[in-house]
Amino acid sequence: MSDSSSVPLAPPPAVGRSSDLLLLGLALGLGLAASVWVYRALAEAEQLHAMKHAQAMAEPVRLEVELTLARIVEASRSAGLLVSTHKPLRLPAFQHFARELAASLPPRTLIEWQPLVTGREERRQLERDARAEGLAGFEIREPRPDGRGWQVAPERDSYVPVLYGWPAGQSPLGYDLAPDAARMTSKLAAAAQRRPVASHSFAVIRDDIGARRSWGFAITAPVFDAAPEGGEPRLRGYLAAVVELPLLLGPAVERARQGGMGLWAMEGSEEQAPVRFTSRVSESGNALQPAEQGPARALQQRFGMDIAGRPWTLLLQPLPETLDAGQQRQPLAGLLAGIAGTLLISAAMWRALAERRRTALAGQQLALERERLQHVIDGTQAATWEHNLFSGETHVNERWQTLLGYAVGEFQPGPGYDWKDDCHPEDLPRVREALRRHLRGETPAYDVEYRHRRKSGEWRWIHARGQVMRRDAQGRAQLIAGTMVDIADRKAAEARVLELNATLEARVVERGEALAEAMESLRESREALAQAQQRATLDALVTGVAHELSSPMSNALVCSESLRTEALQFQARIAQGSLRRAELDSFLQHSAEHAELISRNVRRAVDLIGDVRQVAADQVSAQRRSFDLSQTVGELIGSLAPTLRLQIHQVVLDIPEGIRMDSYPGPLGQVLINLVNNALLHAFEEGRAGEVRIQAEAQGELVQCRVSDNGRGMDQATLEQLFKPFFSTRLNAGGMGLGMVIVDRLVHKVLGGRMQVHSQPGAGTVFTLSLPRVAPPLKPEESAPAP
């Protein structure tokens, strides 16, 4: 046998650490990037939560103020109509209906009758009549130049004095408003427009002119005499409701304080409009300004209001002591957890890579050993075999015998030897196929690994190589020879490598599951915000209905009380026997007018209750029912009337009657409300009136419903992001970025339909809903979200 050490062997290739370090650095970088991304996502979620909380706290305050102002305007309008039916208006009649009106107004709101007086003689007659009614010492007067008392008003062409006031003893009776430009501008506008108009703010003067004043404004309703035949009605005077801001905003301030918010009222719609009232004052009594930067400024809520034609701004922001100083704790905890997880994964990966390097080194050493063994086999012809395919003779060398556990010379395969008897049954088909393909010339060599039976009966992994040495004239194999190599050690090493790889995969999966749990938490937070938004929609509906009912019922009550008083007076005149035909005609006319006012207001309340009853039932349930689409959508839009009347935009319905659907009116209503509100909020330029149109038509078993606007439209980039969570073009103006996500889910998964959006900049937007007339049944996981 030759000395194998005389054959030069190549050293095993070096297993470098640079590639492992690069891979580890890449994994560490990706892990840290993912941690930062999770931190930002959690921080954004926290910010959205804080913004939503601020909006939820500010919304009831805004509704409180708007409802109060709406009651004042409506009361002024109704009072003007009532005064127009009393000619002349006397003190008992004024006190009667003023007492009734005051019940629906903020406390201590001044209700004043301010007649238009022209000329000296009419002034003298008014003063005499007032004193005769019990207003002792009444005279038309004005404040002294130093503001510390009253003086008699000089002679003028016309006067607008305060003749009657409620509550008694509060209004400055006789105060001539004609020279007061701040008050008269709104009065002249009210007379020209024949509707209530609000004045600029002013320091409210009461009967005690030396008392401390506060800022307020007046809402004035003009009062006209009936127009003569072929002529114009004559202006009799003005009925004014004087409101002091501290009294008006008192309930709103308390509600804001309970919600941890400060309140500012500013006259005008500009960013730097003057502040006329604030709930935030320093210890020295000075008014504090809203924050211009910081967390409070980011959560600031600003609402524009139209008070009888006069713009005002209501601003609310969280109080410093209510801001959540730990708002960033959860994102920071997520970041630290992500970094810790990344470091743990990186450490585990480093250990796995080190183990892989050790395994690779072992594999390289095994390959070197096999190469050395090959040199030995080549030099000594060890573990070789030769088989004649025609005669069946087989020859093996001594190494072949010892490899299979036989002593040298103990075993020599004879003509009857069949190699298949010593091949493992599981490997036999594979070995036979490899041999067959080589004998047919399909492969250049016979090369296969399989388990071979040893003398002891145990199975031994070997690597067999062979090649046809001779073929006949027809190409049939005649002689094949080859070698066998013991590869049991290598197979064991490969098994260890597979075991290590399986363990590494399990550890990576474990870390991935932790990250998946964090993402699931984010998804649940998004679902909670979406449900909160739907609950806010129902709250706004209930508040609006309460406002709508208060005005007609208050008007009906005032008219009925006034009619009752006149009926008692009429009955007394009959009992005295002094009733005149003119008084009878006047009583009948007034009775008809009051009855008409009562009937109109009661019918309005009944219609509103009927419209809202079904809409409310649909909004609080996801039950299906059969309904007429035109009627259901009409009731839905009717329930939004309080909000829509505050807009300069129009919502137009174009749905024919007779489109019957068996579906879910509640989710359908949520879809339409979201689309209409989305258009009113985003579609139109500020100050430009627009139109939102709702159309529908039946097409066989489908209903095509379109919600379109003539607004600014959307570009392609906005359309691509439209249905992604937390995307909004007005996140800083109250938008959450969840409305379109909710709409998409309701249309596809609840109503069983499809939705398409078409929009171009400057050409408006059209949402087309293709809905089945008979909705598919809901799966448990696809039930409509609870409102």
Side-chain angles (χ1 to χ4, degrees):
M1 296 181 60
S2 62
D3 187 0
S4 62
S5 62
S6 63
V7 181
L9 299 177
V15 182
R17 297 165 54 116
S18 58
S19 59
D20 291 346
L21 289 174
L22 180 61
L23 180 61
L24 183 63
L26 179 61
L28 187 60
L30 290 176
L32 293 177
S35 300
V36 172
W37 180 84
V38 171
Y39 169 79
R40 290 180 176 177
L42 290 174
E44 291 176 359
E46 286 289 337
Q47 181 66 20
L48 287 175
H49 176 74
M51 179 62 71
K52 185 62 182 178
H53 178 75
Q55 292 172 351
M57 293 298 101
E59 186 65 16
V61 179
R62 178 184 68 83
L63 291 175
E64 176 82 25
V65 176
E66 287 182 348
L67 290 174
T68 302
L69 291 173
R71 289 200 303 269
I72 296 175
V73 174
E74 190 66 22
S76 300
R77 190 192 310 274
S78 301
L81 293 174
L82 290 174
V83 170
S84 65
T85 64
H86 291 71
K87 183 180 180 182
L89 177 65
R90 297 303 182 188
L91 180 59
F94 171 81
Q95 290 177 336
H96 174 73
F97 71 74
R99 184 184 302 108
E100 298 295 332
L101 289 175
S104 62
L105 297 178
R108 298 181 61 189
T109 298
L110 301 182
I111 304 175
E112 300 176 348
W113 166 238
Q114 304 162 356
L116 177 61
V117 180
T118 58
R120 177 185 303 176
E121 291 303 320
E122 193 170 336
R123 171 183 177 175
R124 299 292 181 259
Q125 184 62 42
L126 177 72
E127 291 175 338
R128 287 194 296 270
D129 292 344
R131 288 192 289 270
E133 285 189 291
L135 302 178
F138 179 89
E139 60 182 358
I140 296 179
R141 56 184 180 170
E142 63 184 20
R144 289 183 353 203
D146 60 4
R148 298 183 178 179
W150 299 97
Q151 63 182 16
V152 178
E155 297 290 338
R156 298 188 176 95
D157 293 336
S158 62
Y159 309 84
V160 183
V162 178
L163 178 58
Y164 302 139
W166 182 268
Q170 297 293 325
S171 296
L173 301 185
Y175 178 22
D176 183 16
L177 303 175
D180 189 345
R183 299 286 294 272
M184 288 305 298
T185 299
S186 61
K187 296 181 185 298
L188 296 176
Q193 301 174 23
R194 298 190 179 184
R195 66 176 181 85
V197 173
S199 69
H200 287 286
S201 61
F202 55 87
V204 178
I205 298 178
R206 293 184 177 269
D207 186 66
D208 182 6
I209 195 171
R212 183 176 180 180
R213 304 177 186 179
S214 60
W215 285 95
F217 57 89
I219 298 178
T220 302
V223 178
F224 292 90
D225 286 330
E229 185 174 353
E232 291 291 328
R234 175 181 175 272
L235 179 65
R236 285 175 56 193
Y238 308 92
L239 190 77
V242 181
V243 183
E244 295 184 62
L245 289 176
L247 300 177
L248 169 69
L249 300 176
V253 168
E254 178 60 24
R255 187 181 290 270
R257 184 190 65 78
Q258 294 175 358
M261 306 285 282
L263 182 145
W264 286 261
M266 298 176 287
E267 185 176 12
S269 58
E270 299 82 12
E271 183 74 17
Q272 302 298 328
V275 176
R276 297 307 186 198
F277 174 82
T278 178
S279 64
R280 297 285 293 159
V281 295
S282 64
E283 295 181 356
S284 59
N286 296 324
L288 298 178
Q289 296 298 318
E292 297 182 357
Q293 58 185 1
R297 177 65 178 87
L299 300 176
Q300 198 174 88
Q301 304 295 309
R302 181 182 291 267
F303 305 101
M305 297 185 299
D306 182 276
I307 304 179
R310 184 74 56 194
W312 281 73
T313 299
L314 193 68
L315 186 148
L316 296 102
Q317 73 176 24
L319 300 175
E321 58 269 24
T322 63
L323 287 175
D324 184 9
Q327 182 175 339
Q328 294 299 323
R329 291 175 183 170
Q330 183 175 357
L332 183 58
L335 177 62
L336 294 178
I339 293 175
T342 299
L343 294 177
L344 289 175
I345 293 175
S346 300
M349 182 177 292
W350 176 253
R351 293 184 60 183
L353 290 173
E355 187 66 24
R356 190 189 68 173
R357 286 197 304 272
R358 288 192 292 270
T359 303
L361 182 59
Q364 292 172 359
Q365 292 174 346
L366 179 60
L368 182 60
E369 187 65 27
R370 289 180 58 192
E371 182 180 1
R372 182 178 293 112
L373 180 60
Q374 185 64 44
H375 287 305
V376 173
I377 293 174
D378 290 341
T380 63
Q381 299 183 358
T384 62
W385 52 266
E386 183 181 283
H387 180 66
N388 191 307
L389 298 173
F390 284 96
S391 66
E393 295 181 356
T394 302
H395 298 280
V396 296
N397 67 352
E398 295 178 356
R399 175 57 182 163
W400 188 94
Q401 298 178 51
T402 58
L403 177 64
L404 298 180
Y406 296 99
V408 176
E410 181 182 356
F411 176 75
Q412 186 65 244
Y417 174 73
D418 191 348
W419 64 270
K420 294 186 286 295
D421 294 337
D422 290 332
C423 182
H424 196 285
E426 295 179 1
D427 302 332
L428 181 59
R430 179 165 46 85
V431 176
R432 181 182 293 169
E433 178 65 16
L435 181 60
R436 182 190 63 80
R437 294 187 62 194
H438 177 60
L439 294 178
R440 290 187 178 183
E442 298 177 5
T443 58
Y446 162 68
D447 191 337
V448 67
E449 294 178 356
Y450 68 97
R451 285 163 288 185
H452 197 288
R453 190 195 310 271
R454 288 170 58 85
K455 176 184 177 181
S456 60
E458 65 171 326
W459 297 101
R460 188 80 167 184
W461 275 102
I462 64 169
H463 185 186
R465 292 175 179 269
Q467 191 172 13
V468 174
M469 307 302 296
R470 185 174 66 242
R471 294 181 182 270
D472 60 14
Q474 288 75 31
R476 292 176 299 181
Q478 293 181 334
L479 182 66
I480 183 172
T483 62
M484 288 196 316
V485 177
D486 184 352
I487 60 170
D489 292 340
R490 179 169 65 83
K491 284 295 184 179
E494 290 178 355
R496 290 197 299 272
V497 172
L498 292 176
E499 181 181 359
L500 291 174
N501 288 340
T503 305
L504 174 62
E505 183 179 0
R507 288 195 293 267
V508 172
V509 169
E510 180 181 358
R511 301 302 185 269
E513 290 176 350
L515 183 58
E517 291 179 359
M519 297 304 297
E520 177 65 17
S521 177
L522 285 178
R523 186 193 67 77
E524 292 176 355
S525 299
R526 184 186 69 186
E527 291 294 333
L529 289 176
Q531 293 180 4
Q533 186 183 46
Q534 293 171 347
R535 287 194 294 273
T537 301
L538 185 59
D539 292 342
L541 170 65
V542 174
T543 303
V545 170
H547 160 61
E548 283 296 297
L549 288 176
S550 66
S551 295
M553 298 307 293
S554 297
N555 293 341
L557 178 61
V558 170
C559 291
S560 63
E561 288 297 324
S562 179
L563 181 60
R564 174 175 171 273
T565 300
E566 291 191 8
L568 293 175
Q569 295 175 352
F570 182 76
Q571 185 178 8
R573 297 300 300 272
I574 293 177
Q576 295 172 2
S578 60
L579 181 67
R580 294 178 297 175
R581 177 60 180 267
E583 293 175 338
L584 175 61
D585 293 340
S586 176
F587 174 74
L588 293 176
Q589 179 181 0
H590 289 174
S591 298
E593 292 173 352
H594 286 306
E596 173 62 22
L597 286 173
I598 293 172
S599 177
R600 185 165 62 249
N601 282 277
V602 172
R603 283 198 304 271
R604 175 182 171 192
V606 171
D607 292 342
L608 179 61
I609 292 172
D611 290 344
V612 170
R613 181 182 296 132
Q614 186 59 54
V615 174
D618 291 337
Q619 290 297 310
V620 299
S621 71
Q623 295 182 355
R624 66 185 300 158
R625 64 179 177 88
S626 178
F627 58 91
D628 183 275
L629 182 61
S630 175
Q631 178 182 354
T632 298
V633 177
E635 294 171 351
L636 179 71
I637 298 303
S639 68
L640 297 177
T643 301
L644 297 179
R645 276 199 293 272
L646 300 177
Q647 300 280 347
I648 63 175
H649 314 300
Q650 289 186 340
V651 177
V652 180
L653 295 183
D654 185 11
I655 302 178
E657 296 181 355
I659 301 179
R660 301 292 300 177
M661 297 185 70
D662 182 4
S663 187
Y664 302 93
L668 177 59
Q670 293 180 28
V671 169
L672 295 178
I673 288 175
N674 270 324
L675 292 179
V676 170
N677 287 340
N678 192 63
L680 296 177
L681 180 63
H682 299 282
F684 306 109
E685 300 288 346
E686 185 174 356
R688 176 178 174 272
E691 178 183 280
V692 180
R693 182 173 294 270
I694 304 177
Q695 300 169 288
E697 61 179 355
Q699 295 183 355
E701 296 302 319
L702 295 177
V703 174
Q704 296 289 337
C705 184
R706 289 181 293 276
V707 181
S708 59
D709 63 71
N710 59 352
R712 71 184 79 187
M714 293 180 284
D715 55 23
Q716 187 62 32
T718 302
L719 284 174
E720 292 175 355
Q721 300 287 327
L722 188 61
F723 295 102
K724 292 185 178 180
F726 305 116
F727 171 77
S728 175
T729 58
R730 300 188 65 186
L731 280 176
N732 294 330
M736 286 187 59
L738 287 174
M740 296 312 300
V741 177
I742 296 173
V743 167
D744 183 64
R745 178 180 179 274
L746 291 177
V747 170
H748 287 83
K749 293 191 175 182
V750 179
L751 301 178
R754 295 180 293 105
M755 179 169 63
Q756 294 179 333
V757 186
H758 299 282
S759 183
Q760 291 182 354
T765 301
V766 179
F767 289 87
T768 302
L769 311 178
S770 296
L771 305 175
R773 300 183 73 164
V774 178
L778 287 181
K779 298 179 181 179
E781 67 273 12
E782 295 175 352
S783 59

